[in-house]
Amino acid sequence: MKEKLQKIAAEAVNLLSSSQDLEEIEKIRVRFLGRKGELTQVLRGMGALDEKDRPRIGQLANEIRARIEEELTGRTALVKEKTIRSRLLEEALDISLPGTAPAHGRIHPITRVRRQMEDIFLGLGFEIAEGPEIELDYYNFEALNFPKDHPARDMQDTFFIGEEFLLRTHTSPVQVRTMERTAPALPVKIISPGKVYRRDDDATHSPMFQQVEGLLIDTRITFGDLKGILDLFVKEMFGTATLTRFRASFFPFTEPSAEVDISCVMCGGCGCRVCSQTGWLEILGCGSVHPRVLEMSGYNPEEVTGFAFGMGVERVAMLKYGIDDIRLFYDNDLRFLNQF
Amino acid sequence: MRVSLNWLKDFVDITLSPLELAEKLTLAGLAVEGIESPGEDITKVVTGQILKIERHPNADRLLICEISFGENVPLKIVTGAPNVQEGQIVPVALEGAALAGGLVIKRAKLRGVESRGMLCSGQELGLNAKSLPPEQAHGVMILPADTPPGLDIKPLLGLDDTILELELTPNRGDCLSMLGAAREVAAILKLPLKYIPPEVEESLPPCADRVKVDIEEPQLCRRYVARLMTGVKVGPSPLWMQKRLRAVGVRPISNVVDVTNYVMMEFGQPLHVFDYDTLLEGRIVVRRAAEKEILVSLDGVNRELTPDMLIIADAKNPVAIAGVMGGLETEVTDRTANVLLESAYFNPASIRRTSKMLGLRSDASQRFEGGIDLAGCRRSADRAVQLLQQISGVQVLEGAVDNYPSPAEPKMICLRPERTNFLLGTEITGEEIADILTRLQFDVKDSGSELIVGVPSWRGDVSMETDLIEEAARLHGYNQIPGTLPNARTTLGKRTPNQLFRENVKDILASCGLNEAITYSFFSPETADFYRLPPENALRRTVNMQNPLSEEQSVMRTWITPGLVEALKRNYNRQIRSGAVFELGSVFVPASRLPEEKTMLAAAAMGESAGGWNRKVMPLDYYFLKGVLETLFQQVGLTGFFFEAEYSNPSFHPGRTAKVFAGEQELGVLGELHPEVLERLDLPIRVVAFELDLDRVAKLSAAVRKYQPLPRFPSMERDIAVLAPRDVPAESIREAIGRSGGHTLTSVSLFDVYEGGQIQAGYRSLAFSLKFQADDRTLTDEEVAKCMDSVSAELDRKYGARLRTE
């Protein structure tokens, strides 16, 4: 009996040590420890043994069972580890192959820059006002203090629609319409982004372009406030190191009027080709709202004051992205659009 | 406007460098766009007299000139210029001289003859070719005969001058002259303005005896000054006058004409001269033209006049279009002996209309349009007479005829320093404000709390307190005003729901793989033909531009798709043959008043999506854009949308096009462009597009979303393959399944379409995946089997469709 048990043990251990996979190990377990397994069979035959031999043999059988189980566990762990190691090895990817890109389109650079500009002013409490692109002469010019037959009208070469209408040359008509709608309530605090049209077509002028204009009217708005707000905007848009410079200028609908230059974004103000060696880049026009404009829109200029400003989105985008031809924006070359 | 720094120094003692001056002018509102120093590079060029000219022994085209420089030994110089003659004074570049553009002159042998320098053309000296007669620009420049030889050429020709190019704003017509610019410079630099009133020697009886001036339109001509001179000898003007005119971009012509231009550039007053003897009865009548009256203008063109135009006439006939152009018949010529000089003020708007109507914009009309100095007419006339006297020795009749029906009263404006500071956010003292205005030659009286300010006659742009505040601000310096943040009510800055919706739509489409494009709002009137639109089609009703840049950009778009397709075509022609773009923008529909502007969303695609080493390419076709639309609608919460076959849209493929609906509302069209449209567009690739009325989509989209509880019991899935006649739309079958599957059928989705092979002709197999689920229990196989049976029965009944079993 003893020999039989020891033979079983030796065989089991031997088989296990050469086993290669889990299936084989399971077979070995069943063969020796299963319900009808060899060790089980031997134990069942214990009844035929001597009373005095039983404990000894019993103990031996238990020891052998434990041994085989231990071998089983050890071998299983070993085979498992081997299997997983070889699987991992087999499954290795060429991680340098390109990834699978999900479909993705781009938002037009003008939209991107316009949104950024809008967000800055939204943060300052401005609302976004909109109006028609085809306008009445009254809203585009007259209510903005451009008299008929005045040279100031030459500043904005206009597309006319029949006798009565025109393509707005700026988004200022939206300001007038908003003031008319709001007066006499205060404040008026809007920006008016949108498409505008001028009869021009070259590397720096497009017959259609986009503007963001702003208007703030309340009881205590000063020219200094205009400077403060625009300085804030410029630093937000172009970086905190950007300087602003205000130059006297003329627009019929503001007085005092100013052009605002920023320190050149290319050279930081040292002078380069982009800023024609001046260190400055013209970026926007602005001023205190002209009293006649306030009056025509229903406000008393002795009681309220305000400022207005306006800038071309393309101009800002060109500076931000280093684009040198405005026509690229409306050409819609996919190689261009895909860069933003 | 070009400003000569040397000329400016007649009026102000400027010691600043041109760059510093330019900066100060720019900040004060007179933007300097450029600084030019034409003679900067030039050295060692002197005047020389041609003593003798000989033919070159070895070259037909070359001449050998012996040049004298006064005291020194004459030099021999070879020239190829054909316009030289003995005795002439010419500019000579000596050995070692530098010319414009950096050319250096060396001793050289030209075909065997040594040349000790070079005779110079105007261009070689850096003079603008346009300001010279052609033979002097390209041939050798011939100087007046009385010019001494041996002089440095630079001061003589103004090559020591610096030119500032001023970009003036339209309100500052008063600065369109050297005096005008000088006033600003003096005020900015706090320097005195040097100005000596012109003096004239009058040796003949009063002008009024021989000249009569009638103003019939005092509204259009507020003042007319005439002076008369005799003994005029027309000839070239002196070099000093020529160089100044050239410096400011005016080409010298003759002494009389040059004087009028000189005074215009100096004082800003356009002048005109008539040959007095051609004026009937020596009369000047300022009136409107009669209907159909004709004038042959200086340029020889027959001009038909209208009563809108102000003209100058003699006793009978028009002799000039006031302020715009003179007449040929009364022009001053070599034969002219008596000259009548006009210095007048014409109504700016009238001049502007007339010059626009005739297409004649000139330096003169530009100045009249800006409004000239009403008080300066007489002074300018006197200055011209003085100059003519100086340079050509005319005799002058006493006095002038100065018809000035209602002399302008000086404008007086009250200025409150307190309001000035309130508007600007500054603390400028009343004294400083008064000082600034005084420097600008305003007449300022302090009356305690406010300033009483008299406006100079030339400042037509100043008429109210704000105008004065601006003057104070710009000379105080905008950059001295502290920047502050508004002390205003707090407001909520936000986008409106509609604005948010539009930006959201753009982001959704971009996330679907489409690039946002922005195309022009106008297109060609031929677009309608390219897109096969029949005559009555609504898209043909366009809003038209009166003055387009070109025919191709002359009508406002009625839909966006053509612009996007055009963009795809441009890409295709640049070998980019796949792509998908969208645009959100306005289209324009004629209406009874302002045109209606509708917001549309359009997209167009061609080619296929980029494939890769691990995936197939996907065609960017009808189903692609349909998927985009379905995604968009799901994302914005628009439910109940469906697609209906559209066979009759002329621009689209009749078998590959759908109308897009949501409930009762038609949203737009989706489809492949008609092959004939693509052929007309010369686009050899299939293009798909959609265009939707975005305002409708916005209205139908759910602003608010509600949560649906998650299912608590497991679902059961069944796949079926349906064999159905090919012409039964898949959607109909899907709906039939949905209707017949009972309320536990929660979704039906098609996952395969198959035809050919063992499938009989005219049929196809559609595979659907059905999902059953109840919210109160776990379904049993039997329950689901029952549902499947009823689906099968319905399909058979309705379409003769059978379930296909493998």
Side-chain angles (χ1 to χ4, degrees):
Chain A
M1 195 71 170
K2 190 178 161 196
E3 292 74 37
K4 215 173 175 183
L5 281 170
Q6 264 155 357
K7 203 182 147 220
I8 285 172
E11 198 178 352
V13 169
N14 188 32
L15 277 172
L16 273 173
S17 67
S18 63
S19 66
Q20 289 306 320
D21 56 42
L22 295 173
E23 227 171 296
E24 207 179 331
I25 294 172
E26 177 63 11
K27 270 187 197 148
I28 296 167
R29 188 191 67 78
V30 172
R31 174 170 162 197
F32 296 99
L33 304 183
R35 277 195 286 154
K36 294 176 184 163
E38 290 179 22
L39 185 62
T40 320
Q41 300 287 353
V42 172
L43 288 175
R44 275 196 195 130
M46 286 265 288
L49 282 183
D50 249 19
E51 190 91 359
K52 65 172 170 49
D53 287 342
R54 267 187 214 161
R56 197 169 45 88
I57 295 296
Q59 194 189 352
L60 181 65
N62 278 334
E63 275 169 24
I64 284 171
R65 180 182 194 91
R67 172 127 181 262
I68 293 174
E69 274 174 349
E70 192 183 323
E71 282 294 324
L72 269 170
T73 314
R75 191 66 196 177
T76 304
L78 197 77
V79 166
K80 257 193 182 162
E81 200 194 312
K82 245 171 106 185
T83 316
I84 207 147
R85 217 185 300 140
S86 72
R87 180 175 145 206
L88 290 180
L89 214 63
E90 270 165 32
E91 286 178 357
L93 299 180
D94 174 358
I95 52 89
S96 73
L97 279 172
T100 313
H104 63 299
R106 312 297 180 110
I107 293 293
H108 195 282
I110 292 300
T111 304
R112 294 172 72 93
V113 171
R114 175 178 56 68
R115 283 181 182 175
Q116 196 187 346
M117 291 161 83
E118 287 173 1
D119 288 340
I120 295 170
F121 288 107
L122 287 169
L124 288 164
F126 286 76
E127 285 186 18
I128 299 176
E130 293 164 299
E133 293 172 30
I134 297 180
E135 261 297 0
L136 296 166
D137 183 275
Y138 177 79
Y139 286 112
N140 195 73
F141 287 127
E142 223 150 304
L144 289 160
N145 197 29
F146 284 84
K148 280 223 157 68
D149 294 315
H150 193 276
R153 291 202 174 197
D154 292 344
M155 293 167 87
Q156 304 182 353
D157 209 348
T158 311
F159 287 114
F160 293 98
I161 302 286
E163 294 295 314
E164 282 177 273
F165 310 131
L166 45 80
L167 289 177
R168 65 178 179 190
T169 56
H170 44 190
T171 59
S172 312
V174 180
Q175 303 186 359
V176 178
R177 286 173 177 274
T178 307
M179 282 190 280
E180 274 187 357
R181 219 173 28 238
T182 315
L186 290 169
V188 179
K189 196 172 177 185
I190 55 157
I191 54 168
S192 46
K195 289 181 187 150
V196 300
Y197 303 86
R198 292 188 197 171
R199 267 189 110 253
D200 262 329
D201 199 358
D202 60 42
T204 53
H205 298 91
S206 165
M208 178 183 93
F209 61 103
Q210 301 202 27
Q211 276 193 331
V212 169
E213 295 198 333
L215 174 72
L216 172 54
I217 304 215
D218 208 335
T219 48
R220 301 173 54 86
I221 303 300
T222 70
F223 191 81
D225 294 339
L226 169 64
K227 287 191 65 182
I229 287 272
L230 289 180
D231 191 55
L232 203 82
F233 166 76
V234 161
K235 288 194 159 57
E236 197 59 32
M237 198 74 206
F238 294 102
T240 46
T242 316
L243 304 176
T244 50
R245 176 175 90 160
F246 284 67
R247 285 187 281 113
S249 190
F250 167 76
F251 306 104
F253 39 97
T254 51
E255 191 164 38
S257 301
E259 299 261 18
V260 181
D261 297 338
I262 59 168
S263 50
C264 180
V265 294
M266 302 294 164
C267 63
C270 308
C272 66
R273 199 183 51 82
V274 173
C275 60
S276 318
Q277 309 303 330
T278 62
W280 295 101
L281 294 168
E282 190 178 318
I283 190 89
L284 57 85
C286 63
S288 299
V289 181
H290 198 288
R292 270 201 282 267
V293 173
L294 288 173
E295 219 161 49
M296 279 186 276
S297 303
Y299 288 99
N300 181 349
E302 283 292 315
E303 287 164 9
V304 306
T305 57
F307 63 67
F309 57 85
M311 65 197 113
V313 182
E314 286 75 3
R315 170 89 175 141
V316 176
M318 286 168 89
L319 292 176
K320 264 192 97 73
Y321 298 127
I323 296 166
D324 57 3
D325 191 331
I326 195 171
R327 289 170 293 204
L328 281 167
F329 291 118
Y330 299 108
D331 185 63
N332 298 300
D333 190 307
L334 289 162
R335 292 165 301 184
F336 174 79
L337 297 178
N338 275 327
Q339 292 181 34
F340 301 96
Chain B
M1 183 189 58
R2 291 167 67 89
V3 173
S4 148
L5 206 54
N6 283 350
W7 200 342
L8 207 54
K9 286 177 181 169
D10 283 5
F11 301 103
V12 204
D13 291 320
I14 300 167
T15 51
L16 287 183
S17 76
L19 211 61
E20 289 168 312
L21 178 65
E23 161 111 7
K24 286 191 185 292
L25 283 171
T26 300
L27 289 176
L30 282 75
V32 176
E33 296 284 296
I35 304 175
E36 242 178 67
S37 310
E40 210 172 19
D41 302 339
I42 294 167
T43 57
K44 286 188 83 174
V45 182
V46 298
T47 56
Q49 184 164 32
I50 304 175
L51 295 180
K52 220 166 79 193
I53 302 178
E54 288 171 14
R55 297 216 146 274
H56 191 294
N58 306 326
D60 292 346
R61 297 251 180 106
L62 296 180
L63 300 170
I64 303 165
C65 300
E66 196 178 308
I67 309 285
S68 151
F69 301 96
E71 291 164 13
N72 298 344
V73 194
L75 297 178
K76 286 202 168 169
I77 291 174
V78 178
T79 182
N83 66 330
V84 289
Q85 283 172 28
E86 288 179 2
Q88 282 170 337
I89 309 283
V90 294
V92 184
L94 302 173
E95 280 172 47
L99 298 181
L103 178 69
V104 176
I105 302 303
K106 293 183 203 126
R107 189 190 299 207
K109 269 201 172 159
L110 293 168
R111 297 244 172 169
V113 178
E114 189 172 69
S115 181
R116 303 288 301 271
M118 189 177 101
L119 309 188
C120 304
S121 70
Q123 241 180 357
E124 283 156 346
L125 294 172
L127 298 172
N128 185 345
K130 275 185 226 145
S131 66
L132 291 167
E135 71 279 7
Q136 301 222 1
H138 306 294
V140 166
M141 185 166 186
I142 312 297
L143 303 170
D146 58 358
T147 316
L151 295 182
D152 183 359
I153 199 76
K154 287 181 73 170
L156 211 58
L157 292 181
L159 297 172
D160 57 345
D161 202 354
T162 298
I163 311 300
L164 302 182
E165 183 73 45
L166 287 192
E167 181 76 38
L168 291 170
T169 51
N171 60 325
R172 293 309 301 273
D174 64 296
C175 292
L176 282 169
S177 67
M178 300 308 125
L179 177 62
R183 286 190 203 112
E184 283 288 317
V185 171
I188 294 164
L189 302 182
K190 305 185 184 177
L191 292 172
L193 187 72
K194 298 184 292 181
Y195 166 70
I196 307 155
E199 277 173 31
V200 178
E201 232 174 82
E202 298 166 336
S203 54
L204 298 174
C207 174
D209 294 353
R210 296 185 54 196
V211 177
K212 258 189 70 106
V213 174
D214 297 315
I215 300 178
E216 289 184 6
E217 295 287 341
Q219 292 300 314
L220 301 184
C221 173
R222 293 187 60 188
R223 188 174 185 184
Y224 196 106
V225 177
R227 292 207 64 150
L228 194 55
M229 291 158 278
T230 70
V232 174
K233 281 186 253 355
V234 175
S237 58
L239 215 47
W240 67 264
M241 183 174 281
Q242 290 191 14
K243 80 175 173 192
R244 286 196 162 179
L245 289 175
R246 271 198 301 268
V248 297
V250 176
R251 184 166 140 192
I253 293 168
S254 71
N255 48 10
V256 178
V257 176
D258 290 356
V259 161
T260 59
N261 284 330
Y262 189 91
V263 174
M264 174 167 71
M265 289 302 167
E266 190 170 53
F267 289 167
Q269 167 74 54
L271 301 173
H272 188 64
V273 284
F274 296 98
D275 181 335
Y276 172 77
D277 300 305
T278 63
L279 294 173
L280 197 62
E281 297 175 21
R283 276 186 64 186
I284 290 289
V285 181
V286 187
R287 62 169 168 85
R288 285 174 186 274
E291 198 75 61
K292 303 240 156 131
E293 217 167 359
I294 300 277
L295 172 75
V296 182
S297 55
L298 271 177
D299 51 6
V301 178
N302 257 322
R303 308 263 177 194
E304 191 177 306
L305 309 172
T306 73
D308 290 333
M309 299 176 183
L310 187 70
I311 58 151
I312 312 299
D314 61 13
K316 194 172 159 211
N317 298 310
V319 294
I321 304 162
V324 177
M325 196 179 249
L328 193 61
E329 252 176 63
T330 52
E331 186 186 17
V332 171
T333 65
D334 302 351
R335 298 177 303 279
T336 303
N338 302 311
V339 167
L340 184 138
L341 176 82
E342 161 199 293
S343 176
Y345 179 97
F346 300 117
N347 176 287
S350 157
I351 296 292
R352 183 176 158 83
R353 275 195 302 271
T354 304
S355 67
K356 265 195 153 175
M357 226 181 309
L358 295 171
L360 291 171
R361 310 294 285 269
S362 62
D363 284 338
S365 70
Q366 183 200 358
R367 283 169 175 77
F368 281 122
E369 279 182 33
I372 54 161
D373 182 2
L374 198 46
C377 296
R378 174 66 195 264
R379 178 187 58 201
S380 295
D382 291 352
R383 175 66 171 155
V385 171
Q386 178 196 35
L387 286 169
L388 271 174
Q389 217 161 31
Q390 263 176 33
I391 68 171
S392 81
V394 296
Q395 278 105 58
V396 180
L397 279 76
E398 189 197 318
V401 175
D402 186 352
N403 196 335
Y404 191 9
S406 41
E409 294 288 325
K411 271 178 286 184
M412 303 300 289
I413 302 171
C414 275
L415 173 63
R416 294 163 287 176
E418 195 196 326
R419 180 152 177 90
T420 306
N421 285 316
F422 173 74
L423 278 176
L424 298 178
T426 49
E427 287 167 14
I428 311 175
T429 61
E431 288 78 54
E432 194 196 332
I433 295 171
D435 174 58
I436 287 169
L437 293 175
T438 310
R439 266 154 48 205
L440 288 164
Q441 304 199 38
F442 287 82
D443 181 25
V444 184
K445 283 184 203 71
D446 195 340
S447 78
S449 64
E450 46 191 43
L451 304 173
I452 312 293
V453 181
V455 180
S457 57
W458 57 86
R459 291 302 301 268
D461 60 315
V462 175
S463 63
M464 55 202 288
E465 189 182 28
T466 320
D467 300 328
L468 294 175
I469 293 174
E470 179 173 60
E471 292 302 294
R474 76 184 176 92
L475 260 73
H476 175 71
Y478 282 4
N479 296 307
Q480 307 305 313
I481 298 172
T484 47
L485 285 180
N487 189 355
R489 279 161 257 248
T490 304
T491 46
L492 181 62
K494 60 173 172 37
R495 291 192 167 89
T496 63
N498 200 25
Q499 287 160 358
L500 287 170
F501 179 79
R502 287 191 315 236
E503 298 309 312
N504 187 27
V505 164
K506 289 184 190 179
D507 288 336
I508 294 168
L509 290 184
S511 74
C512 290
L514 285 77
N515 275 328
E516 187 192 4
I518 303 179
T519 64
Y520 286 141
S521 302
F522 26 72
F523 54 33
S524 165
E526 282 189 334
T527 308
D529 299 330
F530 281 126
Y531 283 82
R532 305 176 74 241
L533 301 181
E536 73 287 357
N537 190 289
L539 294 176
R540 270 192 187 269
R541 286 189 55 232
T542 51
V543 175
N544 302 330
M545 283 153 81
Q546 208 175 52
N547 55 340
L549 282 172
S550 67
E551 180 74 6
E552 288 75 49
Q553 304 185 342
S554 63
V555 305
M556 301 306 290
R557 64 182 180 188
T558 48
W559 51 324
I560 295 177
T561 303
L564 291 180
V565 174
E566 193 63 38
L568 287 184
K569 183 181 159 181
R570 268 197 302 276
N571 278 286
Y572 186 87
N573 291 340
R574 294 169 192 166
Q575 292 170 329
I576 307 152
R577 304 207 158 149
S578 289
V581 286
F582 75 93
E583 180 171 359
L584 190 164
S586 295
V587 300
F588 305 85
V589 184
S592 60
R593 220 172 136 52
L594 271 180
E596 187 196 346
E597 295 179 22
K598 294 203 295 186
T599 308
M600 305 299 279
L601 174 69
M606 64 177 176
E608 51 205 14
S609 70
W613 60 274
N614 60 347
R615 65 190 184 282
K616 282 202 196 125
V617 297
M618 180 184 74
L620 299 178
D621 57 4
Y622 171 89
Y623 295 114
F624 166 68
L625 280 191
K626 186 175 177 192
V628 169
L629 278 184
E630 287 163 344
T631 306
L632 171 69
F633 293 154
Q634 277 154 19
Q635 293 270 331
V636 299
L638 183 142
T639 52
F641 60 87
F642 61 94
F643 298 82
E644 194 179 280
E646 157 74 307
Y647 306 106
S648 58
N649 189 313
S651 310
F652 287 88
H653 190 308
R656 297 183 167 196
T657 299
K659 277 185 182 168
V660 186
F661 284 91
E664 300 283 285
Q665 294 248 37
E666 186 176 336
L667 301 180
V669 65
L670 158 70
E672 185 175 309
L673 289 189
H674 197 289
E676 214 171 289
V677 171
L678 294 170
E679 196 183 311
R680 288 182 197 187
L681 292 171
D682 200 12
L683 193 48
I685 188 170
R686 291 173 188 269
V687 173
V688 285
F690 68 71
E691 181 141 359
L692 303 184
D693 184 328
L694 194 68
D695 293 330
R696 280 191 194 161
V697 176
K699 267 194 211 113
L700 297 167
S701 299
V704 185
R705 285 169 191 255
K706 269 201 100 178
Y707 155 77
Q708 297 290 326
L710 302 180
R712 290 188 295 137
F713 297 93
S715 62
M716 292 183 99
E717 290 195 21
R718 294 288 182 272
D719 289 351
I720 57 168
V722 181
L723 198 62
R726 202 187 172 283
D727 58 359
V728 177
E731 181 62 16
S732 308
I733 294 180
R734 202 185 69 89
E735 278 175 1
I737 297 172
R739 272 196 313 273
S740 56
H743 68 276
T744 57
L745 175 59
T746 53
S747 87
V748 181
S749 54
L750 181 132
F751 67 89
D752 193 28
V753 179
Y754 180 74
E755 55 190 299
Q758 315 99 307
I759 308 289
Q760 68 189 94
Y763 279 76
R764 59 179 175 171
S765 163
L766 303 167
F768 293 90
S769 167
L770 284 63
K771 191 163 129 188
F772 295 89
Q773 194 159 37
D775 51 14
D776 55 352
R777 65 189 192 286
T778 301
L779 294 172
T780 61
D781 282 340
E782 293 70 40
E783 274 180 287
V784 172
K786 241 178 168 179
C787 295
M788 291 300 287
D789 287 345
S790 86
V791 165
S792 169
E794 170 72 1
L795 289 178
D796 187 27
R797 188 183 69 75
K798 198 124 190 233
Y799 301 109
R802 284 169 285 124
L803 294 196
R804 189 166 152 254
T805 42
E806 300 312 317

